[in-house]
């Protein structure tokens, strides 16, 4: 998103701080330029030659880059912003805002105990923590926790579709009923009133893969009046990539919601090259609707440990395991070999677990 630059037609002659002599990369898409940045209170007031201006504090940025704070639009930081207020993995890299609740999972809104008897959160919900972390019945409750211990960065919250389903459905292997959709819509609308920036889905995951297009359309239709976004980890990013893009376009068209495709990619060697078609479909749809996408800058993906994802991966490395933490950092194939068991058995023994899957092509990423 381009940064909004200050009006420099009337440059003040006194600032609270001047960041001097850095290479300014301002987010407008133009080339970097050597300039000073003048700050008054908590706002950038001027960019240019401020060598003659006064400042309470002057920071020498010679040889350094000066840029607006980055917005990390695709995170699962719902818990980290609460438990690690410094949010060092992000703030240390210049990120000043994170969008949480992606891929259909968010810590809020979820009524504790509504899935009594289940040892662990289902599917991708385990990415965010244990049941003890799902303790915010409303987004307002979650926001109150943030305000009680403010993180060092800004937080924009999406509401996860799988989290909504988990709150009203007894199982995930079917479409939601009309009554269940109405119940989810009511919770979603309240969350939007409480400040949610949109709805996310993770249609590739077991918690949502059986949700039909109509279910998503009905929920996404709640968003337009709030100016909120629909973001999606699409149903398929491999052999059915293009049909999944088309489904996303249909949801955007029928619901009227501004839509973002999360981490658009082609996974699995046999599917490399399909971005030519998927990007063409996106470009055509953009002529008549608000449709965008974000991408990974690397050739690996990271999520929960899933058999379907293993089948398209050149190499898989374990990143977490509640039951066998000593295996973290190991390649999955080496664990299977050491244990002398089947892939299914290894997944069961390691889960809940996470993994990095190397399954993308560098040329696709750059395209």
């Amino acid at each position: 998103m381009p940064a909004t630059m200050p009006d420099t037609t009337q440059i003040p002659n006194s600032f609270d701080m001047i960041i001097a002599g850095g290479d300014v990369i301002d987010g407008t898409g133009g080339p970097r330029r050597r300039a000073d940045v003048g700050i008054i209170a908590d706002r950038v007031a001027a960019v240019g030659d401020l060598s003659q201006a006064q400042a309470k504090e002057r920071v020498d940025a010679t040889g350094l880059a000066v840029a607006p704070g980055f917005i990390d639009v695709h995170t699962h930081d719902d818990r980290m912003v609460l438990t690690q207020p410094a949010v060092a993995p992000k703030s240390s890299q210049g990120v000043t805002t994170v969008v949480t609740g992606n891929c259909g999972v968010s810590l809020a809104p979820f009524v504790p105990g509504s899935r009594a008897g289940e040892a662990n959160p289902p599917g991708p919900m385990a990415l965010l923590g244990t049941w003890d972390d799902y303790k915010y019945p409303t987004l307002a409750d979650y926001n109150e926790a943030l305000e009680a211990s403010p993180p060092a960065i800004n937080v924009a919250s999406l509401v996860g579709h799988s989290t909504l389903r988990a709150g009203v459905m007894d199982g995930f292997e079917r479409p939601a009923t009309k009554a269940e959709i109405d119940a989810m819509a009511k919770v979603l609308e309240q969350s939007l009133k409480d400040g949610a920036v949109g709805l996310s889905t993770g249609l590739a995951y077991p918690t949502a893969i059986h949700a039909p297009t109509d279910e998503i359309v009905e929920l996404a239709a709640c968003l337009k009046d709030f100016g909120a976004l629909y973001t999606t980890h699409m149903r398929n990013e491999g052999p059915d990539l293009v049909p999944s893009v088309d489904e996303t376009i249909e949801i955007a068209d029928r619901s009227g919601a501004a839509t973002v495709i999360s981490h658009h990619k082609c996974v699995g060697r046999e599917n490399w090259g399909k971005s030519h078609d998927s990007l063409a479909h996106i470009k055509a749809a953009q002529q008549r609707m608000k449709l965008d996408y974000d991408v990974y800058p690397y050739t690996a993906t990271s999520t929960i440990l899933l058999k379907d994802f293993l089948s398209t991966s050149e190499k898989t490395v374990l990143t977490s395991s509640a039951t066998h933490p000593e295996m973290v950092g190991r390649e999955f194939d080496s664990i299977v070999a050491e244990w002398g068991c089947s892939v299914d058995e290894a997944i069961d023994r390691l889960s809940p677990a996470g993994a990095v899957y190397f399954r993308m092509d560098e040329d696709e990423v750059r395209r």
Side-chain angles (χ1 to χ4, degrees):
M1 175 180 289
T4 300
M5 299 306 295
D7 180 6
T8 57
T9 55
Q10 294 183 336
I11 297 177
N13 57 17
S14 180
F15 299 88
D16 291 324
M17 175 186 290
I18 291 177
I19 303 173
D23 290 333
V24 172
I25 304 170
D26 60 22
T28 62
R32 68 173 64 199
R33 59 194 174 101
R34 185 67 52 81
D36 306 323
V37 178
I39 299 170
I40 297 177
D42 60 354
R43 292 288 185 268
V44 173
V47 178
D49 182 0
L50 306 179
S51 57
Q52 302 305 310
Q54 301 298 311
K56 296 176 183 177
E57 181 179 1
R58 188 176 290 268
V59 177
D60 182 6
T62 303
L64 302 175
V66 181
F70 300 127
I71 302 173
D72 191 344
V73 298
H74 190 91
T75 82
H76 299 288
D77 294 338
D78 307 48
R79 181 167 62 99
M80 183 169 68
V81 294
L82 292 168
T83 60
Q84 301 178 44
V87 203
K90 301 301 173 77
S91 59
S92 63
Q93 299 185 70
V95 172
T96 55
T97 300
V98 293
V99 180
T100 62
N102 282 280
C103 293
V105 291
S106 57
L107 282 186
F110 185 82
V111 177
S114 59
R115 302 196 71 80
E118 296 183 13
N120 299 298
M125 291 179 68
L127 281 172
L128 302 184
T130 67
W131 281 132
D132 289 340
D133 298 301
Y134 283 87
K135 55 187 177 184
Y136 308 103
T138 68
L139 186 63
D141 294 322
Y142 179 79
N143 291 340
E144 185 177 330
L146 284 176
E147 290 169 4
S149 180
I153 61 178
N154 303 307
V155 179
S157 299
L158 294 166
V159 173
H161 170 237
S162 287
T163 298
L164 292 176
R165 289 187 118 221
V168 303
M169 298 176 67
D170 54 2
F172 302 104
E173 298 76 26
R174 60 174 176 81
T177 65
K178 182 64 169 65
E180 289 166 340
I181 293 173
D182 289 345
M184 287 190 281
K186 182 178 180 180
V187 174
L188 173 60
E189 288 179 349
Q190 183 58 54
S191 297
L192 293 166
K193 293 175 183 177
D194 290 339
V197 298
L199 169 73
S200 75
T201 58
L203 299 178
Y205 291 111
T207 47
I209 198 168
H210 296 288
T213 304
D214 287 348
E215 178 179 324
I216 311 305
V217 169
E218 288 196 54
L219 292 173
C222 301
L223 303 172
K224 187 175 181 180
D225 288 345
F226 291 88
L229 288 171
Y230 169 60
T231 73
T232 180
H233 177 153
M234 296 187 300
R235 205 175 293 277
N236 190 280
E237 297 169 326
D240 291 325
L241 169 66
V242 175
S244 293
V245 167
D246 290 341
E247 179 189 32
T248 301
I249 292 170
E250 179 185 348
I251 292 168
D253 196 21
R254 291 172 57 191
S255 70
T259 297
V260 176
I261 296 172
S262 295
H263 45 61
H264 175 274
K265 57 184 177 289
C266 305
V267 299
R269 183 177 293 272
E270 67 275 15
N271 301 305
W272 294 348
K274 289 188 176 181
S275 63
H276 288 288
D277 290 337
S278 63
L279 292 175
H281 284 226
I282 292 169
K283 185 175 181 179
Q286 286 174 327
Q287 304 307 308
R288 55 188 174 84
M289 64 178 62
K290 291 183 178 179
L291 176 67
D292 288 291
Y293 61 94
D294 57 57
V295 298
Y296 291 149
Y298 33 73
T299 59
T301 69
S302 178
T303 187
I304 58 173
L305 186 60
L306 287 173
K307 184 177 182 180
D308 287 349
F309 288 17
L310 288 166
S311 64
T312 58
S313 185
E314 305 282 304
K315 179 177 72 172
T316 301
V317 177
L318 197 71
T319 58
S320 66
S321 172
T323 54
H324 289 279
E326 74 278 6
M327 293 298 182
V328 170
R330 293 273 301 276
E331 289 191 30
F332 180 79
D333 287 348
S334 73
I335 298 173
V336 172
E338 180 178 315
W339 285 351
C341 64
S342 68
V343 168
D344 287 341
E345 184 181 350
I347 292 173
D348 288 341
R349 289 173 63 177
L350 291 165
S351 294
V356 169
Y357 304 87
F358 293 83
R359 54 188 188 144
M360 294 150 61
D361 176 56
E362 181 67 27
D363 289 341
E364 292 277 31
V365 173
R366 293 180 180 277
R367 184 175 298 125

